[in-house]
Amino acid sequence: MAEAWWAVARSEEVTSAKPINVDIGDQPIVLWRDQQGAVHALEDRCPHRRTPLSLGCVLGNGMIQCGYHGWTYDGATGHLKDIPNLKSDVKFPALYRAIPFAVAESGGFVRVCLDAKAPAPLLVAKTLPLSGTVNVALEHEHYIAALFDDPSLVLAIKGVRFTPYLLAELAEHEGKLVLERSCQWAGFHWPSPFSSDFPITLRIATDPVTGECDLLLRDDGFRPLLFATLAPVPAARGVTQIRWRATLEDNRHGMRAKLLGAGTPFSVHSTIDGAALRVLKPSASIHAATLRNEITARSAQTSAA
Amino acid sequence: MLDVKDAAITDDYIDPVTADPREFAAKVNAWVPHDIVLKDAWFPLAHSFAITEKPVRRAIYSQPYFLWREGKTAVAAEFHPSEGLQGGKSEFTDAAGRYPVIEKYGYAWCWFGNPANAAPEHIPSLPYLPEDGGLPLHMLGTVRFDCTAPLSLENLIDLTHADFLHADVVGDEKMDKETVEVFHDSETITMVRTCVNKSVAPIMRRFGGVKVDVQQVRQVIRIYLRSHAAIAYGRFSPGDNVQLFHPCVPETRDRTRLDYAINTRNVKKTNLFRYLMPKASYKVSRQDSYMTSPQSPRYMQPEKRKDLHSPLDEAGQKYRVLMLALAERQARGDFAYHVNVSADCSEIIGYDGK
């Protein structure tokens, strides 16, 4: 978890007007944007009296000020820069600082790595226009497993019904966990267990550590219809925070594909149906943990070499 | 995704069923069908009628197969024609990214394994299907099982399940006597179940014109292990014979596709049974999936706890051991066929052409 880059916010959620609080697991983080537009991430805890820095404010110089006693921190280093009531220019020892985290922003996501010295992640050039954030009361690992075994429990694509049938089960492909599920257009049709072929598929390519997924919906001519990125992040109390972005392909063939553009084409559920989840049989997800371990072990070996 | 090694022909085949009883029992209980991926086999990936100029996508163990016709010839490729040949071509296809394909019995059979080993004689014998196809569409269909393919076949070869799960279609367990015989070789297993005075199958009573209370039944299940394809042949007296081809294509390790054929040409054209029996698959397959779907995840990982068995499980036990033996042999690099699976099996299944 320490070296992973987590998409903890959508770009538009982070402003210089008010800091926000996010989590990576049990680590609370405060995020804000300075006047130059750069995003900063510190532990969301003032080292003075442990109050959340996110309850404070962003100063005109881009620093964050605790709302309790006004202690003021530099976003890049976390160093304490000012205690307003001291009325002095005293320099503070290096120990006086909040823990800083590495930040990267691209593709409409703000990503944070708990290791401040981590190498920067690959930049994502395109920002998908549709977006949202939901908090789901389900642990990260179970959330990903639900996505693998039955996407309808966690998301909806307008007019699309997910079938229980895969064209490719979960396997490693270029360092990601990839599967491809057969889908039908919603409405009256021959039931999926008796269908010979399906008109659309959903490919899900998942980062083995963060669970960040690239979703690709395409038709049976292999033409893309919709792209989405789903970024689930483990948060406090077993909640998973999900930020997502999506876009429709402009050139879609067929009436049903064209209708994707009417209304809301993509959404992520903020609640999960516990009754359905409880009886959901593990299928695509069942080897996910093994695959994850294999990928991360190989990655660790490569890094060591 | 999968490695293909060259076939190493060996003549020192040891029958795993008769070799050592303790080893046999150990293998029966070491059954993790999810881990079995057999190669160098023909799979009936599509009914011939389903293959047109527009590519259809199928899969064997997630390996992609795109099938379409070039003129009258069926072709199968690893990549969609709009994609062209991708850099990551597997060892399952030739330089052009194409798989070996043969059309026979009304199916496009695609080879899964080393293309150099694809030979027509490895296509299973299906005596009651016309070699050149041509069965009417109402005798053909597609159903799916939400489970791993070997569990579908283990379910099939133990027909005592039918008396309970499919009693409303094929009749219940009431009968005077039941015997089960099992025959096998390295590539096939055949189970013959003979029932004396069995309660009449409801579908035959309602639609097949069978008016008596009991039937004499002889049911044969013959599984071609590598192809995961089964013959299910039933002789009913009084009543019409049932001639089902039941191929279980493992699209993934946990999902099975079944493009079935039930040849009811032996049934009079005026008899509703001729038209309704093929449709019974829709009901029967859901009944099977109702049990095998929750069963499947429980066979994905090795378990210390052993399954319990009865004498009626002989066929299922041998099926497990034969499948494991094939998998072990392939793991050693031996992909050779020791028997000719395309040799006419009419006599073995008791099919007399009627």
Side-chain angles (χ1 to χ4, degrees):
Chain A
M1 182 175 273
E3 294 178 354
W5 285 90
W6 299 90
V8 292
R10 291 178 286 131
S11 289
E12 54 268 41
E13 292 176 312
V14 185
T15 68
S16 54
K18 179 87 178 75
I20 64 167
N21 161 265
V22 297
D23 311 302
I24 299 176
D26 293 329
Q27 176 63 63
I29 295 166
V30 59
L31 292 177
W32 76 96
R33 198 181 288 279
D34 66 22
Q35 274 59 34
Q36 282 68 49
V39 179
H40 301 286
L42 298 179
E43 61 172 330
D44 192 14
R45 166 184 161 130
C46 179
H48 176 221
R49 287 296 178 266
R50 307 183 190 180
T51 48
L53 289 172
S54 56
L55 298 181
C57 62
V58 181
L59 300 180
N61 59 8
M63 294 187 189
I64 189 165
Q65 185 176 62
C66 179
Y68 197 9
H69 302 95
W71 287 34
T72 302
Y73 300 91
D74 173 70
T77 63
H79 285 138
L80 178 66
K81 292 295 184 184
D82 190 20
I83 301 176
N85 294 65
L86 279 182
K87 312 291 184 200
S88 78
D89 293 331
V90 64
K91 284 197 172 179
F92 302 102
L95 180 68
Y96 277 65
R97 67 167 198 159
I99 298 172
F101 302 116
V103 184
E105 184 176 19
S106 70
F109 288 107
V110 172
R111 290 183 172 79
V112 166
C113 179
L114 297 180
D115 179 357
K117 294 175 181 169
L122 293 175
L123 293 179
V124 180
K126 193 175 177 186
T127 298
L128 309 184
L130 307 169
S131 69
T133 298
V134 295
N135 290 268
V136 177
L138 184 68
E139 286 192 0
H140 184 260
E141 184 180 352
H142 291 299
Y143 186 86
I144 306 285
L147 172 68
F148 288 165
D149 289 330
D150 183 358
S152 71
L153 286 177
V154 302
L155 59 87
I157 302 175
K158 184 184 170 67
V160 172
R161 185 175 297 169
F162 307 107
T163 78
Y165 306 106
L166 302 178
L167 278 166
E169 68 182 39
L170 197 69
E172 185 195 347
H173 184 69
E174 296 177 344
K176 291 201 169 184
L177 302 177
V178 179
L179 67 79
E180 190 160 9
R181 182 174 296 277
S182 297
C183 305
Q184 293 174 308
W185 293 115
F188 193 73
H189 49 66
W190 203 233
S192 64
F194 310 143
S195 294
S196 175
D197 297 288
F198 298 105
I200 35 181
T201 63
L202 179 67
R203 184 182 190 272
I204 304 176
T206 308
D207 183 277
V209 177
T210 63
E212 188 172 318
C213 307
D214 290 325
L215 278 57
L216 168 60
L217 185 77
R218 54 188 170 182
D219 65 17
D220 56 4
F222 250 54
R223 293 171 296 230
L225 302 174
L226 176 143
F227 299 94
T229 298
L230 204 66
V233 178
R237 289 185 173 268
V239 168
T240 301
Q241 291 192 307
I242 301 106
R243 272 91 184 178
W244 61 268
R245 305 200 79 93
T247 189
L248 281 174
E249 180 72 12
D250 291 336
N251 194 15
R252 304 186 301 279
H253 296 260
M255 177 71 77
R256 307 301 297 267
K258 286 187 168 67
L259 284 174
L260 276 170
T264 307
F266 183 87
S267 60
V268 177
H269 304 323
S270 57
T271 58
I272 198 155
D273 180 348
L277 181 66
R278 188 184 73 79
V279 297
L280 177 64
K281 290 175 278 290
S283 175
S285 70
I286 205 150
H287 294 297
T290 307
L291 286 166
R292 266 187 213 113
N293 291 340
E294 287 173 3
I295 296 170
T296 48
R298 204 176 318 124
S299 174
Q301 278 180 349
T302 308
S303 303
Chain B
M1 183 182 83
L2 302 162
D3 294 330
V4 179
K5 293 192 171 68
D6 289 332
I9 297 173
T10 58
D11 293 322
D12 54 351
Y13 176 73
I14 299 169
D15 186 347
V17 170
T18 56
D20 178 344
R22 276 181 302 182
E23 199 172 321
F24 177 83
K27 282 186 175 168
V28 166
N29 290 308
W31 177 236
V32 186
H34 201 68
D35 286 348
I36 296 176
V37 176
L38 299 177
K39 285 168 269 182
D40 278 15
W42 293 103
F43 285 91
L45 267 195
H47 290 116
S48 286
F49 77 81
I51 305 176
T52 64
E53 287 181 355
K54 183 185 176 187
V56 292
R57 184 176 174 189
R58 302 290 155 88
I60 303 173
Y61 292 119
S62 302
Q63 178 74 18
Y65 285 70
F66 295 91
L67 294 104
W68 71 95
R69 282 194 194 279
E70 289 179 348
K72 290 186 175 178
T73 306
V75 295
E78 193 169 352
F79 302 102
H80 191 278
S82 70
E83 279 190 309
L85 188 60
Q86 302 285 301
K89 187 192 88 60
S90 75
E91 294 173 273
F92 291 78
T93 50
D94 64 15
R98 295 203 170 180
Y99 300 98
V101 188
I102 291 176
E103 282 196 84
K104 192 175 182 182
Y105 300 126
Y107 288 87
W109 296 77
C110 297
W111 184 254
F112 177 73
N114 184 342
N117 296 336
E121 61 265 29
H122 299 329
I123 290 183
S125 162
L126 308 175
Y128 46 71
L129 293 190
E131 281 203 21
D132 56 355
L135 285 181
L137 290 182
H138 72 81
M139 296 182 190
L140 310 173
T142 299
V143 295
R144 295 167 182 273
F145 294 116
D146 304 2
C147 69
T148 189
L151 280 185
S152 283
L153 289 161
E154 190 185 3
N155 166 71
L156 179 68
I157 206 167
D158 175 10
L159 279 178
T160 59
H161 86 273
D163 299 341
F164 299 90
L165 205 52
H166 315 307
D168 57 350
V169 179
V170 298
D172 59 25
E173 79 283 11
K174 295 184 182 68
M175 69 186 96
D176 288 344
K177 189 182 176 189
E178 176 178 12
T179 55
V180 173
E181 300 166 277
V182 184
F183 312 95
H184 73 275
D185 56 37
S186 61
E187 297 289 344
T188 69
I189 181 166
T190 305
M191 187 279 300
V192 181
R193 181 194 195 206
T194 308
C195 303
V196 177
N197 295 334
K198 190 177 190 299
S199 57
V200 171
I203 191 169
M204 290 189 175
R205 185 194 300 278
R206 288 179 197 146
F207 307 111
V210 177
K211 301 298 181 192
V212 296
D213 292 331
V214 294
Q215 289 175 301
Q216 312 314 312
V217 180
R218 183 178 185 277
Q219 294 165 312
V220 182
I221 303 294
R222 178 175 170 80
I223 300 175
Y224 294 95
L225 301 172
R226 286 199 215 202
S227 295
H228 295 65
I231 287 172
Y233 178 55
R235 296 181 69 95
F236 297 83
S237 178
D240 290 299
N241 297 341
V242 174
Q243 305 175 147
L244 165 64
F245 176 49
H246 186 286
C248 290
V249 173
E251 288 199 314
T252 67
R253 287 182 297 174
D254 192 42
R255 290 290 185 268
T256 301
R257 177 195 181 92
L258 198 155
D259 286 321
Y260 68 84
I262 298 188
N263 185 352
T264 52
R265 278 179 169 167
N266 57 311
V267 182
K268 283 182 185 172
K269 285 185 178 174
T270 53
N271 191 335
L272 270 179
F273 185 74
R274 178 180 174 116
Y275 309 98
L276 292 178
M277 184 60 206
K279 303 308 172 203
S281 295
Y282 294 128
K283 181 167 192 178
V284 169
S285 66
R286 285 292 88 193
Q287 290 172 330
D288 280 325
S289 222
Y290 181 70
M291 288 296 173
T292 57
S293 173
Q295 191 188 14
S296 193
R298 296 178 176 179
Y299 281 96
M300 286 182 178
Q301 309 281 1
E303 266 208 22
K304 285 183 180 171
R305 192 170 164 189
K306 297 173 182 174
D307 287 350
L308 303 178
H309 306 278
S310 86
L312 293 170
D313 296 325
E314 179 189 350
Q317 289 180 313
K318 288 181 175 173
Y319 171 69
R320 291 181 177 192
V321 172
L322 289 166
M323 288 291 283
L324 286 169
L326 258 179
E328 286 170 8
R329 198 151 64 80
Q330 294 204 344
R332 294 195 301 268
D334 178 2
F335 292 86
Y337 280 77
H338 294 269
V339 293
N340 181 3
V341 294
S342 65
D344 182 12
C345 69
S346 296
E347 196 173 331
I348 297 171
I349 67 170
Y351 174 66
D352 58 6
K354 294 177 184 171

